[in-house]
Amino acid sequence: MTDLNSSLADLRSYYNSHSTKSYAFRKKQLQLLKQTLLAYEKEIEKALYADLKKNAEETYATETGLVLAEINVVLKNLCRWMKPESVETNLVNFPSSSKIYRDPLGVVLIISPWNYPLQLLLIPLIGAIAGGNCVVLKPSEFSPATSALIEKIITEIFPSEYIKVITGDGAQVVSAMMKNFRFDYVFYTGSIPVGKIIYQMAAEKLVPVTLELGGKSPAIVCADANITVAAKRIAFGKFINTGQTCIAPDYVLVHNAVKEKFINKLKETIMKFYSDDAANNYNYGKIINEKRFDKLVGYLADGKIVTGGEYNREKLFIAPTVLENVSPDSPIMHEEIFGPVLPVIGYNTTEEAMNIVERNETPLAFYLFTNDKNEEKEWVEKISFGGGCINNTDWHFTNHHLPFGGVGNSGIGAYHGKFTFDTFTRAKPVMKTPTWFDPSFKYPPLKGKLKLFKWFIK
Ligand code: NAD
């Protein structure tokens, strides 16, 4: 504990030395991180295979590639983002000029989960470095191979008073840190219950937070949708990483006119993607641990299995599974599934489908399959969600021009690209007033100046 406290004090001193703030420093660290990740690419693949049975291609597309792309975007734009922005000044302050500076936040804490253990820790880190901060990284204890590798990489390239990795049981180490030290920001990705604990601890010290949480993200397949494409994109978005994706389509609402066709296409697609032996398929991963495995197997009883349903606890394998005849009142329709079990429920009217979506808290993601512009407008305008896609799933996450984050129960704040830089800096407004013009009407005595004030204060 004393060691931890002194490490945190070291980070504070290093931040106070202003060493992290120059453009040259930030750029150099990002370049170093990029080079090192490239050098460690094979080890990253091995670690993600060990933790989640991710193949090399998936690891690149959903982890390493996203981190490298984020570094590239930041390196290309950082100089411009860091420049103070000149903004207009209102009449009452004539002839002042106004600027918005982007100030680093200080010492920030980034906490990540196990499901995308590399990118969910390093994308926020890139923004934190770009913002000129010192950082404590807390990777998940449930993806030990990746977390150990990240610790090795970070320790190798960054001094611990600049970026420090703290591993171990989150409940112990995070609360120990947050109780004993005032972070300037906490960026948390993970479950809703832990998000609430983090928010409470942060509130004690008035620490601002980003909370990237989860929830039940629906996919809606309308009667006019391209069913073949919908089945492919839903199967991809759901079963990648064995369904352990915060933005995976959690369940499908499909118009009854096309339900049978959709289910058949979904079965066909699953077979094409993962064969009839998903347990030994290169493209299919595993469940993170026994606790999650047992929870997921429990969901299999919540409906009629249309395809899949096989499982093996020793291999932490659960087949890509589609369920039908699921009651909207069953547990699987109220808890975030976070695994390869997909309930498919028929509906007859848009209103009926909306009612089912609104039985749960605001989702992190939302997917609509339709070619009807009016249907699209109605859903997008009426349903609140963190972010989403029309005729697609998951891929919006990879577009750094879009802010990624939740709303309501699915989170607070957003990041990616410029939005991450904005998250890890504070807009510091400064107005500069020349001294050559100093009108007396702004000073007391004010009596009799009301009309004048009403004229220019508007
Ligand atoms: P988790 O909340 O159990 O753990 C996340 C992190 O919090 C870990 O580093 C852990 O050590 C730490 N932690 C755990 N208990 C803690 C406590 N009491 N106090 C402080 N820190 C604690 O989450 P998880 O199970 O690893 O992740 C799954 C959840 O995360 C799902 O709900 C999923 O939807 C969500 N998620 C969200 C996003 C997103 O971007 N919004 C991304 C991935 C996962």
Side-chain angles (χ1 to χ4, degrees):
M1 196 56 241
T2 331
D3 283 356
L4 190 56
N5 285 341
S6 80
S7 296
L8 295 170
D10 289 347
L11 282 137
R12 174 68 66 209
S13 304
Y14 192 63
Y15 177 72
N16 288 344
S17 74
H18 304 285
S19 310
T20 62
K21 294 183 180 171
S22 74
Y23 170 66
F25 178 89
R26 302 182 200 188
K27 185 177 157 196
K28 194 170 152 211
Q29 312 313 314
L30 291 168
Q31 285 169 333
L32 187 59
L33 182 60
K34 181 177 168 179
Q35 285 156 15
T36 315
L37 289 173
L38 287 169
Y40 273 95
E41 205 178 333
K42 287 283 161 228
E43 288 191 48
I44 293 172
E45 282 171 15
K46 276 189 216 154
L48 282 154
Y49 188 86
D51 285 334
L52 287 147
K53 196 177 164 270
K54 286 196 202 199
N55 60 57
E57 290 81 358
E58 188 175 322
T59 292
Y60 192 83
T62 67
E63 299 267 14
T64 326
L66 295 183
V67 175
L68 294 172
E70 187 82 3
I71 297 179
N72 290 339
V73 169
V74 176
L75 284 174
K76 196 170 152 208
N77 296 292
L78 182 59
C79 187
R80 184 168 53 87
W81 293 345
M82 280 177 69
K83 286 211 172 92
E85 182 195 355
S86 293
V87 295
E88 286 183 33
T89 303
N90 55 350
L91 179 65
V92 73
N93 288 302
F94 177 84
S96 307
S97 60
S98 303
K99 282 186 180 169
I100 300 173
Y101 290 78
R102 298 290 332 178
D103 242 16
L105 301 176
V107 181
V108 302
L109 171 62
I110 299 174
I111 308 165
S112 65
W114 48 265
N115 62 330
Y116 289 88
L118 188 85
Q119 57 109 337
L120 291 175
L121 192 67
L122 297 191
I123 292 181
L125 171 66
I126 293 160
I129 293 174
N133 303 285
C134 287
V135 189
V136 173
L137 292 173
K138 165 64 186 77
S140 172
E141 59 274 39
F142 299 115
S143 45
T146 315
S147 298
L149 181 60
I150 291 174
E151 187 175 19
K152 182 178 173 207
I153 292 173
I154 297 293
T155 314
E156 191 178 301
I157 59 174
F158 298 125
S160 64
E161 63 272 26
Y162 173 42
I163 299 175
K164 171 116 192 121
V165 181
I166 301 281
T167 52
D169 176 3
Q172 278 177 19
V173 295
V174 173
S175 50
M177 285 192 287
M178 289 185 72
K179 279 182 186 138
N180 290 307
F181 182 79
R182 189 193 186 278
F183 286 99
D184 298 296
Y185 201 86
V186 176
F187 188 106
Y188 168 81
T189 305
S191 64
I192 294 170
V194 175
K196 288 180 182 173
I197 295 172
I198 302 281
Y199 204 10
Q200 270 169 0
M201 288 192 288
E204 280 292 316
K205 294 189 161 69
L206 284 180
V207 174
V209 293
T210 290
L211 300 175
E212 294 283 342
L213 310 176
K216 286 191 84 61
S217 303
I220 318 297
V221 181
C222 299
D224 74 311
N226 181 327
I227 299 299
T228 308
V229 170
K232 259 202 285 186
R233 294 183 185 172
I234 288 172
F236 173 80
K238 176 71 181 186
F239 299 113
I240 193 160
N241 206 27
T242 329
Q244 301 166 118
T245 302
C246 57
I247 47 170
D250 187 273
Y251 61 95
V252 177
L253 300 178
V254 54
H255 196 281
N256 276 324
V258 291
K259 185 177 167 209
E260 203 184 324
K261 188 175 168 196
F262 174 74
I263 287 182
N264 287 336
K265 276 285 169 203
L266 201 55
K267 281 159 69 176
E268 212 178 275
T269 309
I270 291 170
M271 191 61 74
K272 269 194 206 151
F273 286 179
Y274 309 109
S275 79
D276 59 355
D277 182 19
N280 295 305
N281 193 280
Y282 178 80
N283 300 305
Y284 198 65
K286 69 176 181 75
I287 305 304
I288 190 74
N289 55 32
E290 281 82 6
K291 190 174 166 214
R292 287 294 310 149
F293 175 91
D294 294 340
K295 179 81 194 162
L296 290 165
V297 167
Y299 288 138
L300 298 177
D302 284 356
K304 180 183 150 218
I305 295 170
V306 174
T307 186
E310 305 84 15
Y311 53 87
N312 179 332
R313 197 170 193 267
E314 217 173 290
K315 286 185 162 180
L316 291 172
F317 164 76
I318 299 176
T321 300
V322 177
L323 294 184
E324 234 194 328
N325 299 347
V326 174
S327 156
D329 297 319
S330 57
I332 199 171
M333 285 308 292
H334 291 288
E335 296 163 4
E336 181 184 357
I337 300 169
F338 215 52
V341 186
L342 182 64
V344 176
I345 296 172
Y347 72 87
N348 288 316
T349 62
T350 302
E351 194 191 353
E352 186 190 344
M354 283 187 179
N355 285 340
I356 298 175
V357 171
E358 286 179 329
R359 289 176 70 146
N360 290 305
E361 299 277 359
T362 42
L364 179 60
F366 172 83
Y367 307 114
L368 179 69
F369 288 83
T370 184
N371 292 308
D372 181 337
K373 290 224 164 68
N374 291 329
E375 188 83 23
E376 177 184 327
K377 188 169 182 292
E378 190 177 356
W379 277 98
V380 172
E381 283 180 5
K382 287 188 179 166
I383 298 294
S384 174
F385 52 87
C389 302
I390 309 297
N391 293 323
N392 212 341
T393 65
D394 294 12
W395 284 98
H396 63 300
F397 182 92
T398 65
N399 179 0
H400 66 265
H401 298 287
L402 293 174
F404 177 80
V407 55
N409 249 41
S410 53
I412 297 172
Y415 73 126
H416 286 181
K418 171 74 158 54
F419 303 101
T420 320
F421 177 79
D422 290 345
T423 292
F424 284 103
T425 53
R426 186 187 158 268
K428 185 160 83 176
V430 177
M431 195 173 78
K432 184 172 173 178
T433 310
T435 50
W436 56 263
F437 181 65
D438 198 27
S440 59
F441 67 79
K442 282 189 167 179
Y443 299 102
L446 300 179
K447 196 158 193 282
K449 294 178 181 170
L450 186 59
K451 222 173 156 187
L452 185 65
F453 286 173
K454 284 190 175 176
W455 177 76
F456 72 83
I457 302 177
K458 49 188 160 198

CSV table of all heavy atoms in Angstrom, one decimal, residues 111-116 120 138-142 168-172 174-175 188-192 194-195 197-198 201 212-215 245-247 336 338 364 397 404 410 415, ligand 1:
chain,number,residue,atom,x,y,z
A,111,ILE,N,-9.3,2.2,-16.6
A,111,ILE,CA,-9.7,0.8,-16.1
A,111,ILE,C,-10.4,0.1,-17.2
A,111,ILE,O,-11.3,0.6,-17.8
A,111,ILE,CB,-10.6,0.8,-14.9
A,111,ILE,CG1,-10.1,1.8,-13.8
A,111,ILE,CG2,-10.9,-0.6,-14.4
A,111,ILE,CD1,-11.1,2.1,-12.8
A,112,SER,N,-9.9,-1.2,-17.6
A,112,SER,CA,-10.5,-1.8,-18.7
A,112,SER,C,-10.9,-3.2,-18.4
A,112,SER,O,-10.5,-3.9,-17.4
A,112,SER,CB,-9.5,-1.9,-19.9
A,112,SER,OG,-8.4,-2.7,-19.5
A,113,PRO,N,-11.9,-3.8,-19.2
A,113,PRO,CA,-12.3,-5.2,-19.0
A,113,PRO,C,-11.5,-6.2,-19.8
A,113,PRO,O,-10.6,-5.8,-20.5
A,113,PRO,CB,-13.8,-5.1,-19.5
A,113,PRO,CG,-13.7,-4.1,-20.6
A,113,PRO,CD,-12.6,-3.1,-20.3
A,114,TRP,N,-12.0,-7.4,-19.8
A,114,TRP,CA,-11.2,-8.5,-20.4
A,114,TRP,C,-11.6,-8.8,-21.8
A,114,TRP,O,-10.9,-9.5,-22.5
A,114,TRP,CB,-11.4,-9.8,-19.6
A,114,TRP,CG,-12.8,-10.1,-19.3
A,114,TRP,CD1,-13.5,-9.7,-18.1
A,114,TRP,CD2,-13.8,-10.7,-20.1
A,114,TRP,NE1,-14.8,-10.1,-18.2
A,114,TRP,CE2,-15.0,-10.7,-19.4
A,114,TRP,CE3,-13.7,-11.2,-21.4
A,114,TRP,CZ2,-16.2,-11.2,-20.0
A,114,TRP,CZ3,-14.9,-11.8,-22.0
A,114,TRP,CH2,-16.1,-11.8,-21.3
A,115,ASN,N,-12.7,-8.3,-22.3
A,115,ASN,CA,-13.2,-8.8,-23.6
A,115,ASN,C,-12.4,-8.4,-24.8
A,115,ASN,O,-12.3,-9.1,-25.8
A,115,ASN,CB,-14.7,-8.6,-23.7
A,115,ASN,CG,-15.1,-7.2,-23.7
A,115,ASN,OD1,-14.4,-6.3,-23.1
A,115,ASN,ND2,-16.2,-6.8,-24.4
A,116,TYR,N,-12.0,-7.1,-24.8
A,116,TYR,CA,-11.0,-6.6,-25.9
A,116,TYR,C,-9.9,-6.0,-25.1
A,116,TYR,O,-9.7,-4.8,-25.0
A,116,TYR,CB,-11.7,-5.6,-26.8
A,116,TYR,CG,-12.7,-6.3,-27.7
A,116,TYR,CD1,-14.0,-6.5,-27.3
A,116,TYR,CD2,-12.3,-6.8,-29.0
A,116,TYR,CE1,-14.9,-7.1,-28.2
A,116,TYR,CE2,-13.2,-7.5,-29.8
A,116,TYR,CZ,-14.5,-7.6,-29.4
A,116,TYR,OH,-15.4,-8.3,-30.2
A,120,LEU,N,-9.2,-1.8,-25.5
A,120,LEU,CA,-10.1,-1.0,-24.6
A,120,LEU,C,-9.2,-0.4,-23.5
A,120,LEU,O,-9.6,0.5,-22.8
A,120,LEU,CB,-11.1,-1.9,-23.9
A,120,LEU,CG,-12.2,-2.4,-24.9
A,120,LEU,CD1,-13.2,-3.3,-24.2
A,120,LEU,CD2,-13.0,-1.2,-25.5
A,138,LYS,N,-5.2,0.2,-15.5
A,138,LYS,CA,-5.6,-1.0,-14.7
A,138,LYS,C,-6.3,-2.0,-15.7
A,138,LYS,O,-7.5,-1.9,-16.0
A,138,LYS,CB,-6.6,-0.6,-13.6
A,138,LYS,CG,-7.4,-1.7,-13.0
A,138,LYS,CD,-6.5,-2.7,-12.2
A,138,LYS,CE,-7.4,-3.9,-11.7
A,138,LYS,NZ,-7.7,-4.9,-12.8
A,139,PRO,N,-5.5,-2.9,-16.2
A,139,PRO,CA,-6.1,-3.9,-17.1
A,139,PRO,C,-6.9,-5.0,-16.3
A,139,PRO,O,-6.7,-5.0,-15.0
A,139,PRO,CB,-4.9,-4.6,-17.8
A,139,PRO,CG,-3.7,-4.3,-16.9
A,139,PRO,CD,-4.1,-3.2,-16.0
A,140,SER,N,-7.6,-5.8,-16.9
A,140,SER,CA,-8.5,-6.8,-16.2
A,140,SER,C,-7.6,-8.0,-15.8
A,140,SER,O,-6.8,-8.5,-16.5
A,140,SER,CB,-9.6,-7.2,-17.1
A,140,SER,OG,-10.3,-8.3,-16.5
A,141,GLU,N,-8.0,-8.5,-14.6
A,141,GLU,CA,-7.3,-9.7,-14.1
A,141,GLU,C,-7.8,-10.9,-14.8
A,141,GLU,O,-7.2,-12.0,-14.6
A,141,GLU,CB,-7.5,-9.8,-12.6
A,141,GLU,CG,-9.0,-9.8,-12.1
A,141,GLU,CD,-9.6,-8.5,-11.9
A,141,GLU,OE1,-9.4,-7.6,-12.7
A,141,GLU,OE2,-10.4,-8.3,-10.9
A,142,PHE,N,-8.9,-10.8,-15.6
A,142,PHE,CA,-9.5,-12.0,-16.2
A,142,PHE,C,-8.9,-12.3,-17.6
A,142,PHE,O,-9.3,-13.3,-18.2
A,142,PHE,CB,-11.0,-11.9,-16.2
A,142,PHE,CG,-11.6,-11.8,-14.9
A,142,PHE,CD1,-12.3,-10.7,-14.4
A,142,PHE,CD2,-11.5,-12.9,-14.0
A,142,PHE,CE1,-12.8,-10.6,-13.1
A,142,PHE,CE2,-12.0,-12.8,-12.7
A,142,PHE,CZ,-12.6,-11.6,-12.3
A,168,GLY,N,-4.1,-6.8,-10.8
A,168,GLY,CA,-4.7,-7.4,-9.6
A,168,GLY,C,-6.2,-7.3,-9.6
A,168,GLY,O,-6.8,-6.8,-10.5
A,169,ASP,N,-6.7,-7.7,-8.4
A,169,ASP,CA,-8.1,-7.7,-8.2
A,169,ASP,C,-8.6,-6.2,-8.2
A,169,ASP,O,-8.3,-5.5,-7.3
A,169,ASP,CB,-8.4,-8.4,-6.9
A,169,ASP,CG,-9.8,-8.4,-6.5
A,169,ASP,OD1,-10.7,-7.9,-7.2
A,169,ASP,OD2,-10.1,-8.9,-5.4
A,170,GLY,N,-9.5,-5.9,-9.2
A,170,GLY,CA,-10.0,-4.6,-9.3
A,170,GLY,C,-10.7,-4.0,-8.0
A,170,GLY,O,-10.4,-2.9,-7.6
A,171,ALA,N,-11.5,-4.9,-7.4
A,171,ALA,CA,-12.2,-4.5,-6.2
A,171,ALA,C,-11.2,-4.0,-5.1
A,171,ALA,O,-11.5,-3.0,-4.4
A,171,ALA,CB,-13.0,-5.6,-5.6
A,172,GLN,N,-10.0,-4.6,-5.1
A,172,GLN,CA,-9.1,-4.2,-4.1
A,172,GLN,C,-8.2,-3.0,-4.5
A,172,GLN,O,-8.2,-1.9,-3.9
A,172,GLN,CB,-8.1,-5.3,-3.7
A,172,GLN,CG,-8.8,-6.3,-2.7
A,172,GLN,CD,-7.9,-7.5,-2.4
A,172,GLN,OE1,-6.7,-7.4,-2.7
A,172,GLN,NE2,-8.5,-8.5,-1.9
A,174,VAL,N,-8.3,-0.9,-7.2
A,174,VAL,CA,-8.9,0.3,-7.7
A,174,VAL,C,-9.4,1.1,-6.5
A,174,VAL,O,-9.2,2.3,-6.4
A,174,VAL,CB,-10.0,0.1,-8.7
A,174,VAL,CG1,-10.8,1.3,-9.1
A,174,VAL,CG2,-9.4,-0.6,-10.0
A,175,SER,N,-10.1,0.4,-5.6
A,175,SER,CA,-10.7,1.2,-4.4
A,175,SER,C,-9.5,1.7,-3.6
A,175,SER,O,-9.6,2.8,-3.1
A,175,SER,CB,-11.7,0.4,-3.6
A,175,SER,OG,-11.2,-0.8,-3.3
A,188,TYR,N,-13.4,4.5,-17.3
A,188,TYR,CA,-13.7,3.1,-16.9
A,188,TYR,C,-14.5,2.5,-18.0
A,188,TYR,O,-15.5,3.0,-18.5
A,188,TYR,CB,-14.6,3.1,-15.6
A,188,TYR,CG,-15.2,1.8,-15.3
A,188,TYR,CD1,-14.4,0.7,-14.8
A,188,TYR,CD2,-16.5,1.5,-15.7
A,188,TYR,CE1,-14.9,-0.5,-14.5
A,188,TYR,CE2,-17.0,0.2,-15.5
A,188,TYR,CZ,-16.2,-0.8,-14.9
A,188,TYR,OH,-16.8,-2.0,-14.7
A,189,THR,N,-14.1,1.3,-18.4
A,189,THR,CA,-14.9,0.4,-19.3
A,189,THR,C,-15.2,-0.9,-18.6
A,189,THR,O,-14.3,-1.5,-18.1
A,189,THR,CB,-14.1,0.1,-20.6
A,189,THR,OG1,-13.7,1.4,-21.2
A,189,THR,CG2,-15.0,-0.6,-21.6
A,190,GLY,N,-16.5,-1.3,-18.6
A,190,GLY,CA,-16.8,-2.5,-17.9
A,190,GLY,C,-18.3,-2.6,-17.6
A,190,GLY,O,-19.1,-1.9,-18.2
A,191,SER,N,-18.6,-3.4,-16.6
A,191,SER,CA,-20.0,-3.7,-16.3
A,191,SER,C,-20.7,-2.5,-15.6
A,191,SER,O,-20.1,-1.7,-15.0
A,191,SER,CB,-20.1,-4.9,-15.4
A,191,SER,OG,-19.5,-4.7,-14.2
A,192,ILE,N,-22.0,-2.5,-15.6
A,192,ILE,CA,-22.8,-1.5,-15.0
A,192,ILE,C,-22.7,-1.5,-13.5
A,192,ILE,O,-22.4,-0.4,-12.9
A,192,ILE,CB,-24.3,-1.6,-15.4
A,192,ILE,CG1,-24.4,-1.3,-16.9
A,192,ILE,CG2,-25.2,-0.6,-14.6
A,192,ILE,CD1,-25.8,-1.6,-17.5
A,194,VAL,N,-20.2,-2.4,-11.5
A,194,VAL,CA,-18.9,-1.9,-11.1
A,194,VAL,C,-18.8,-0.4,-11.5
A,194,VAL,O,-18.2,0.4,-10.8
A,194,VAL,CB,-17.7,-2.7,-11.7
A,194,VAL,CG1,-16.4,-2.1,-11.4
A,194,VAL,CG2,-17.7,-4.1,-11.2
A,195,GLY,N,-19.4,0.0,-12.7
A,195,GLY,CA,-19.4,1.4,-13.1
A,195,GLY,C,-20.0,2.2,-12.0
A,195,GLY,O,-19.6,3.4,-11.7
A,197,ILE,N,-20.0,1.6,-8.8
A,197,ILE,CA,-19.1,1.7,-7.7
A,197,ILE,C,-18.0,2.8,-8.0
A,197,ILE,O,-17.7,3.6,-7.1
A,197,ILE,CB,-18.4,0.3,-7.4
A,197,ILE,CG1,-19.5,-0.7,-6.9
A,197,ILE,CG2,-17.3,0.4,-6.4
A,197,ILE,CD1,-18.9,-2.1,-6.9
A,198,ILE,N,-17.5,2.7,-9.2
A,198,ILE,CA,-16.5,3.7,-9.6
A,198,ILE,C,-17.0,5.1,-9.5
A,198,ILE,O,-16.3,6.0,-9.0
A,198,ILE,CB,-16.0,3.4,-11.1
A,198,ILE,CG1,-15.5,2.0,-11.3
A,198,ILE,CG2,-15.1,4.5,-11.6
A,198,ILE,CD1,-14.1,1.7,-10.8
A,201,MET,N,-17.1,6.3,-6.0
A,201,MET,CA,-15.8,6.6,-5.4
A,201,MET,C,-15.3,7.9,-6.0
A,201,MET,O,-14.7,8.7,-5.3
A,201,MET,CB,-14.8,5.5,-5.7
A,201,MET,CG,-15.1,4.2,-4.9
A,201,MET,SD,-13.7,3.0,-4.9
A,201,MET,CE,-13.9,2.4,-6.6
A,212,GLU,N,-17.9,3.7,-19.7
A,212,GLU,CA,-18.2,3.0,-20.9
A,212,GLU,C,-18.8,1.6,-20.5
A,212,GLU,O,-18.1,0.7,-20.1
A,212,GLU,CB,-17.0,2.7,-21.8
A,212,GLU,CG,-16.4,4.0,-22.4
A,212,GLU,CD,-17.2,4.5,-23.6
A,212,GLU,OE1,-18.0,3.8,-24.2
A,212,GLU,OE2,-17.0,5.7,-23.9
A,213,LEU,N,-20.1,1.5,-20.5
A,213,LEU,CA,-20.8,0.4,-19.9
A,213,LEU,C,-21.4,-0.5,-20.9
A,213,LEU,O,-21.1,-0.5,-22.1
A,213,LEU,CB,-21.8,0.9,-18.8
A,213,LEU,CG,-21.2,1.9,-17.8
A,213,LEU,CD1,-22.3,2.4,-16.9
A,213,LEU,CD2,-20.0,1.3,-17.0
A,214,GLY,N,-22.4,-1.3,-20.5
A,214,GLY,CA,-23.0,-2.3,-21.4
A,214,GLY,C,-24.5,-2.1,-21.5
A,214,GLY,O,-25.0,-1.0,-21.5
A,215,GLY,N,-25.2,-3.2,-21.7
A,215,GLY,CA,-26.7,-3.1,-21.8
A,215,GLY,C,-27.2,-4.1,-22.9
A,215,GLY,O,-26.4,-4.8,-23.4
A,245,THR,N,-18.9,-9.1,-26.7
A,245,THR,CA,-18.6,-7.8,-27.3
A,245,THR,C,-19.7,-6.9,-26.7
A,245,THR,O,-20.9,-7.2,-26.8
A,245,THR,CB,-18.7,-7.9,-28.8
A,245,THR,OG1,-17.8,-8.8,-29.3
A,245,THR,CG2,-18.5,-6.5,-29.5
A,246,CYS,N,-19.3,-5.7,-26.2
A,246,CYS,CA,-20.3,-4.9,-25.5
A,246,CYS,C,-21.3,-4.4,-26.5
A,246,CYS,O,-22.5,-4.1,-26.1
A,246,CYS,CB,-19.6,-3.7,-24.8
A,246,CYS,SG,-18.6,-2.8,-26.0
A,247,ILE,N,-21.0,-4.3,-27.8
A,247,ILE,CA,-21.9,-3.7,-28.8
A,247,ILE,C,-22.5,-4.8,-29.6
A,247,ILE,O,-23.2,-4.6,-30.6
A,247,ILE,CB,-21.2,-2.7,-29.7
A,247,ILE,CG1,-19.9,-3.2,-30.2
A,247,ILE,CG2,-21.1,-1.3,-29.0
A,247,ILE,CD1,-19.3,-2.4,-31.3
A,336,GLU,N,-27.9,-8.5,-19.8
A,336,GLU,CA,-27.0,-8.4,-21.0
A,336,GLU,C,-26.4,-9.8,-21.2
A,336,GLU,O,-25.8,-10.4,-20.2
A,336,GLU,CB,-25.9,-7.4,-20.7
A,336,GLU,CG,-24.9,-7.3,-21.9
A,336,GLU,CD,-23.7,-6.4,-21.6
A,336,GLU,OE1,-23.7,-5.8,-20.6
A,336,GLU,OE2,-22.9,-6.3,-22.5
A,338,PHE,N,-24.0,-11.2,-23.4
A,338,PHE,CA,-22.5,-11.1,-23.4
A,338,PHE,C,-21.9,-12.5,-23.7
A,338,PHE,O,-21.0,-13.0,-23.0
A,338,PHE,CB,-22.0,-10.6,-22.1
A,338,PHE,CG,-20.7,-9.7,-22.2
A,338,PHE,CD1,-20.7,-8.7,-23.1
A,338,PHE,CD2,-19.6,-10.0,-21.5
A,338,PHE,CE1,-19.6,-7.9,-23.3
A,338,PHE,CE2,-18.4,-9.3,-21.7
A,338,PHE,CZ,-18.4,-8.2,-22.6
A,364,LEU,N,-26.5,0.3,-25.4
A,364,LEU,CA,-25.2,0.9,-25.8
A,364,LEU,C,-25.3,1.0,-27.4
A,364,LEU,O,-24.8,2.0,-27.9
A,364,LEU,CB,-24.1,0.0,-25.4
A,364,LEU,CG,-22.7,0.4,-25.8
A,364,LEU,CD1,-22.3,1.8,-25.2
A,364,LEU,CD2,-21.7,-0.6,-25.3
A,397,PHE,N,-18.2,1.2,-34.3
A,397,PHE,CA,-17.1,1.4,-33.3
A,397,PHE,C,-15.8,1.7,-34.0
A,397,PHE,O,-15.0,2.4,-33.4
A,397,PHE,CB,-17.0,0.0,-32.6
A,397,PHE,CG,-16.0,0.0,-31.5
A,397,PHE,CD1,-16.3,0.3,-30.2
A,397,PHE,CD2,-14.6,-0.3,-31.7
A,397,PHE,CE1,-15.4,0.3,-29.1
A,397,PHE,CE2,-13.7,-0.3,-30.7
A,397,PHE,CZ,-14.1,0.1,-29.4
A,404,PHE,N,-17.9,7.4,-29.6
A,404,PHE,CA,-18.4,6.1,-29.2
A,404,PHE,C,-18.6,6.2,-27.7
A,404,PHE,O,-17.7,6.5,-26.9
A,404,PHE,CB,-17.4,5.0,-29.4
A,404,PHE,CG,-17.8,3.7,-28.9
A,404,PHE,CD1,-18.8,2.9,-29.6
A,404,PHE,CD2,-17.4,3.2,-27.6
A,404,PHE,CE1,-19.3,1.7,-29.0
A,404,PHE,CE2,-17.9,2.0,-27.1
A,404,PHE,CZ,-18.9,1.3,-27.8
A,410,SER,N,-26.2,2.8,-20.2
A,410,SER,CA,-25.1,2.3,-20.9
A,410,SER,C,-23.8,3.2,-20.9
A,410,SER,O,-22.8,2.8,-21.5
A,410,SER,CB,-25.5,1.9,-22.4
A,410,SER,OG,-26.1,3.0,-23.0
A,415,TYR,N,-15.7,8.5,-26.7
A,415,TYR,CA,-14.3,8.7,-27.2
A,415,TYR,C,-14.1,8.2,-28.6
A,415,TYR,O,-15.1,7.9,-29.2
A,415,TYR,CB,-13.3,8.0,-26.1
A,415,TYR,CG,-13.3,6.5,-26.1
A,415,TYR,CD1,-12.1,5.8,-26.2
A,415,TYR,CD2,-14.4,5.7,-25.9
A,415,TYR,CE1,-12.0,4.4,-26.1
A,415,TYR,CE2,-14.3,4.3,-25.8
A,415,TYR,CZ,-13.2,3.7,-25.9
A,415,TYR,OH,-13.1,2.4,-25.8
B,1,NAD,P1,-16.0,-5.6,-14.8
B,1,NAD,O1,-16.8,-4.4,-14.5
B,1,NAD,O2,-16.2,-6.8,-14.0
B,1,NAD,O3,-14.4,-5.3,-14.8
B,1,NAD,C1,-13.8,-4.2,-15.5
B,1,NAD,C2,-12.7,-3.7,-14.7
B,1,NAD,O4,-13.1,-3.2,-13.4
B,1,NAD,C3,-11.6,-4.7,-14.4
B,1,NAD,O5,-10.3,-4.1,-14.7
B,1,NAD,C4,-11.7,-5.0,-13.0
B,1,NAD,O6,-10.5,-5.3,-12.4
B,1,NAD,C5,-12.3,-3.7,-12.4
B,1,NAD,N1,-13.1,-4.0,-11.3
B,1,NAD,C6,-13.9,-5.1,-11.0
B,1,NAD,N2,-14.5,-4.9,-9.8
B,1,NAD,C7,-14.2,-3.7,-9.3
B,1,NAD,C8,-14.5,-3.0,-8.2
B,1,NAD,N3,-15.4,-3.4,-7.2
B,1,NAD,N4,-14.0,-1.7,-8.0
B,1,NAD,C9,-13.2,-1.2,-8.9
B,1,NAD,N5,-12.8,-1.9,-10.0
B,1,NAD,C10,-13.3,-3.1,-10.3
B,1,NAD,O7,-16.4,-5.8,-16.3
B,1,NAD,P2,-16.1,-7.1,-17.2
B,1,NAD,O8,-16.9,-8.2,-16.7
B,1,NAD,O9,-14.6,-7.3,-17.3
B,1,NAD,O10,-16.7,-6.5,-18.6
B,1,NAD,C11,-17.9,-6.8,-19.1
B,1,NAD,C12,-18.9,-5.6,-19.2
B,1,NAD,O11,-18.2,-4.6,-19.7
B,1,NAD,C13,-20.1,-5.9,-20.0
B,1,NAD,O12,-21.2,-5.3,-19.4
B,1,NAD,C14,-19.8,-5.1,-21.3
B,1,NAD,O13,-21.0,-4.7,-22.0
B,1,NAD,C15,-19.0,-4.0,-20.8
B,1,NAD,N6,-18.2,-3.4,-21.8
B,1,NAD,C16,-18.4,-2.2,-22.2
B,1,NAD,C17,-17.7,-1.7,-23.3
B,1,NAD,C18,-17.9,-0.3,-23.8
B,1,NAD,O14,-17.1,0.1,-24.6
B,1,NAD,N7,-19.0,0.4,-23.5
B,1,NAD,C19,-16.6,-2.4,-23.8
B,1,NAD,C20,-16.4,-3.7,-23.3
B,1,NAD,C21,-17.2,-4.2,-22.3
